[in-house]
Amino acid sequence: MTASKNSSLESSAPVPANSTQNLKRKLKSEPTLDNHAPSSPRDTKPTKKYMPDLSVLDDANQEDYYIEPICPIPKAKKPKQPPQGAWTLDTKDILGPDSQHAYVQRWMKLCQQEATLDTKYVIVQNDGSRENLLRLLGLKNVFVKQLPNMPRPYVTRLVFDRKHESVALLKKATPPAEGEGGTDTKDEKKPIAGEDKGDLSYIVMGGCCYRPFPAQGFGEIAFMAISQNEQVRGYGTRLMAQTKERAKALGLKYLLTCADNNAVAYFKKQGFSKRITLEYEKWQGYIKDYDGVTLMECKLHENVDYLNIPAMLKAQKMCLVEKLKEISYSHIVFPGIDVKKRKGMQIADIPGFKHLFSRKLAMNAGTSGGALTGLGAPGTRGNSAMFAQRDPAALQALHKHLQSVLNQVKAHQNSWPFVEPVDPKESGALDYYDVIKNPMDLQTIQKRLDSGWYYVTKQIFLADLKRMTDNCLQYNGKGHYITELAQSLEKFFMQKL
């Protein structure tokens, strides 16, 4: 059997409205996935589900919102305490608003549609009732149009097979505008959104047909599709999550499917793998192997709420942050530093540095005779920046070398466009500082070198020179004569450094 989520989709026809009079029957609550009535001995008791707070979506002025984790998160037992003058960030502030994530936005929107009954997921079995037969007919239409390679009789046979069941995605039908449709609405009142007409005000917009094998502990997905005009909205992921929860309710541990080439990528995103871990003896003889398809498996975990993955991820992230508070200072905020006012400072004097690297500093102090050397011993690659700051003679020698290179760069025949900061009016580049956010020139580099504290390594000096030429390329583009001068100048100072 082939499961696919094709892109060429069409919506199914709505259920006829005039059949309301023939459907006066006494039914129990509808077998939805969140609270379904037992439709077969395989059904299990419904459990209390996590429900997101959808009220945050009602405030149009509130762009950012937060979701609650799926379970309570214990606080850090012994978090690192901030020193005097510093403060701590709450876990909520560290993670930021959940609305910044696209998957959270889609999930909240889908949950809101289900809460307002704009969409709903129902379990459909061929029990002979008119209501379910109409649903199965709608599912068959969707599958046939979405899976053009599947023969219509084959799809019809499996969808209406009593051993199969389906999770149908229903959407509330939009009432036609007044005067449209070619019928007299005075004689016959059509169902509109919000009316209590059972499923007569809904249309089938997708579904998943599968056959459970409770004794073997797995289910086989036969068909899965979403109508074309409802795709790329998260319905496919939500439908798969509903199917997984239904499979868990039936006591299934695995879901298997034979996916065609167009569906392999989709099923991978939904947690399916080409590696089959289910014992071969359990599914051998139950699933037919076809040419041109890939057998894929998804293992279901009892403790995972597939309908609320974003809330579960929020809980995991919060738990990780709380654990990090016990071993790191990532939650501590130190006051800012005005480096220019202080005319530079030692790296080890930066607030928070000694706390972040206290262990490494202690180890280095023991290997260097008690001197504070930073992240590595003097002369090592990781300590080059700090060691230049700690040795005045080395710093003086470095500045002397950098001044020599800068003098040669200034004297270069192609350096004239970069001697001073760009004057937009004089040069005609009126939008220069709108395009270039971090301007650089030789005059600015000279001032930084004269300060005596800015260039503590050759790499910082080289970075400013590179920024100067990169800005030229960004503003003027390739092939411009000023860009060619910048590239020539870059080759020159790269050789000198």
Side-chain angles (χ1 to χ4, degrees):
M1 289 181 244
T2 303
S4 176
K5 185 172 180 290
N6 203 301
S7 58
S8 57
L9 304 172
E10 297 179 17
S11 61
S12 61
V15 178
N18 56 8
S19 60
T20 306
Q21 300 176 356
N22 299 326
L23 294 178
K24 295 180 180 180
R25 57 187 181 278
K26 296 180 180 180
L27 295 176
K28 296 183 180 180
S29 59
E30 194 169 37
T32 62
L33 289 181
D34 292 330
N35 183 19
H36 61 274
S39 56
S40 69
R42 298 172 300 191
D43 291 340
T44 59
K45 295 181 180 180
T47 58
K48 186 178 181 180
K49 295 289 186 178
Y50 166 92
M51 291 297 296
D53 181 14
L54 301 176
S55 61
V56 296
L57 301 178
D58 297 334
D59 189 358
N61 298 324
Q62 183 179 359
E63 297 181 358
D64 298 333
Y65 56 83
Y66 298 82
I67 63 174
E68 293 297 325
I70 200 169
C71 62
I73 305 300
K75 296 293 183 180
K77 296 181 179 179
K78 295 182 179 180
K80 298 290 184 180
Q81 298 300 319
Q84 186 176 2
W87 62 93
T88 60
L89 277 179
D90 186 67
T91 301
K92 178 180 178 181
D93 297 325
I94 294 176
L95 295 177
D98 299 297
S99 55
Q100 64 181 311
H101 306 295
Y103 71 91
V104 173
Q105 297 178 15
R106 289 193 298 267
W107 172 70
M108 289 289 286
K109 184 177 180 180
L110 293 174
C111 290
Q112 186 182 43
Q113 291 178 358
E114 294 174 30
T116 57
L117 297 181
D118 289 332
T119 61
K120 61 181 179 179
Y121 300 82
V122 297
I123 302 167
V124 186
Q125 297 172 336
N126 188 0
D127 56 2
S129 66
R130 181 181 179 85
E131 188 176 44
N132 278 350
L133 289 175
L134 289 173
R135 294 173 181 170
L136 292 176
L137 180 61
L139 282 172
K140 188 266 297 182
N141 292 336
V142 172
F143 294 148
V144 168
K145 294 176 181 178
Q146 303 311 120
L147 310 174
N149 295 330
M150 303 302 298
R152 181 186 296 266
Y154 177 70
V155 174
T156 304
R157 178 166 57 86
L158 292 188
V159 169
F160 286 89
D161 183 17
R162 294 182 181 270
K163 295 181 180 179
H164 286 70
E165 70 176 28
S166 301
V167 176
L169 171 55
L170 307 181
K171 184 177 182 180
K172 189 171 291 186
T174 303
E178 186 177 356
E180 293 183 359
T183 58
D184 188 1
T185 57
K186 296 181 180 180
D187 298 335
E188 181 181 349
K189 183 180 179 181
K190 294 186 177 181
I192 60 176
E195 283 191 298
D196 187 13
K197 295 286 187 179
D199 275 340
L200 302 181
S201 58
Y202 288 85
I203 62 173
V204 178
M205 56 184 267
C208 178
C209 178
Y210 54 90
R211 178 178 178 179
F213 295 94
Q216 307 302 115
F218 78 94
E220 181 191 13
I221 296 178
F223 310 113
M224 185 171 186
I226 301 293
S227 297
Q228 183 178 9
N229 56 340
E230 301 294 347
Q231 290 189 9
V232 201
R233 300 183 183 179
Y235 289 121
T237 299
R238 190 68 174 175
L239 177 60
M240 179 58 73
Q242 297 280 6
T243 303
K244 291 178 180 178
E245 286 298 315
R246 172 60 178 172
K248 286 168 52 181
L250 297 177
L252 307 181
K253 302 297 182 182
Y254 297 86
L255 285 177
L256 300 179
T257 185
C258 291
D260 60 22
N261 295 332
N262 297 325
V264 170
Y266 165 78
F267 281 103
K268 281 186 177 180
K269 293 180 181 180
Q270 305 306 321
F272 283 74
S273 172
K274 296 180 182 179
R275 180 185 177 187
I276 310 301
T277 60
L278 181 63
E279 293 85 345
Y280 181 74
E281 294 76 13
K282 289 189 176 181
W283 60 269
Q284 182 186 16
Y286 293 88
I287 297 181
K288 295 181 180 180
D289 191 10
Y290 298 92
D291 295 334
V293 298
T294 303
L295 182 62
M296 304 185 73
E297 171 196 278
C298 178
K299 184 177 181 180
L300 303 178
H301 298 273
E302 186 65 28
N303 296 329
V304 175
D305 186 354
Y306 293 100
L307 295 176
N308 299 294
I309 293 295
M312 185 185 69
L313 294 178
K314 176 68 176 292
Q316 292 177 342
K317 289 188 289 186
M318 292 181 64
C319 184
L320 180 60
V321 171
E322 293 296 332
K323 289 296 182 181
L324 288 175
K325 289 181 180 180
E326 300 178 1
I327 61 175
S328 74
Y329 291 85
S330 58
H331 62 292
I332 297 177
V333 181
F334 294 88
I337 305 171
D338 190 346
V339 180
K340 292 184 179 180
K341 184 177 180 180
R342 299 183 59 168
K343 294 184 179 181
M345 64 187 303
Q346 300 295 334
I347 295 180
D349 294 335
I350 299 175
F353 182 87
K354 293 181 180 180
H355 298 86
L356 291 172
F357 302 103
S358 57
R359 293 184 180 180
K360 292 186 177 181
L361 289 172
M363 294 174 58
N364 293 334
T367 57
S368 58
L372 183 63
T373 59
L375 301 181
T380 61
R381 182 178 181 182
N383 190 60
S384 59
M386 179 172 288
F387 188 62
Q389 289 180 312
R390 296 292 173 179
D391 190 345
L395 186 60
Q396 185 178 2
L398 174 64
H399 286 175
K400 184 178 180 180
H401 173 61
L402 297 182
Q403 185 63 63
S404 174
V405 174
L406 183 58
N407 292 337
Q408 296 179 60
V409 173
K410 288 181 179 179
H412 195 275
Q413 60 180 357
N414 295 332
S415 66
W416 60 268
F418 313 102
V419 175
E420 297 178 349
V422 175
D423 187 338
K425 293 183 178 180
E426 182 180 347
S427 62
L430 300 179
D431 62 340
Y432 183 81
Y433 292 102
D434 294 332
V435 178
I436 304 300
K437 301 301 182 182
N438 296 299
M440 185 56 57
D441 58 90
L442 296 177
Q443 185 181 92
T444 302
I445 295 176
Q446 182 65 65
K447 290 180 179 179
R448 291 181 174 182
L449 186 58
D450 293 340
S451 68
W453 59 266
Y454 194 90
Y455 294 121
V456 295
T457 66
K458 184 189 301 183
Q459 286 72 21
I460 301 177
F461 179 78
L462 179 61
D464 277 353
L465 288 174
K466 280 281 295 176
R467 180 187 299 176
M468 181 181 68
T469 56
D470 290 344
N471 288 345
C472 178
L473 175 62
Q474 179 183 351
Y475 185 80
N476 298 295
K478 294 182 179 180
H480 196 279
Y481 78 100
I482 296 294
T483 303
E484 294 177 355
L485 296 179
Q487 293 173 343
S488 174
L489 189 64
E490 181 177 343
K491 291 180 181 179
F492 176 76
F493 66 69
M494 289 296 292
Q495 293 175 355
K496 297 298 180 181
L497 293 172

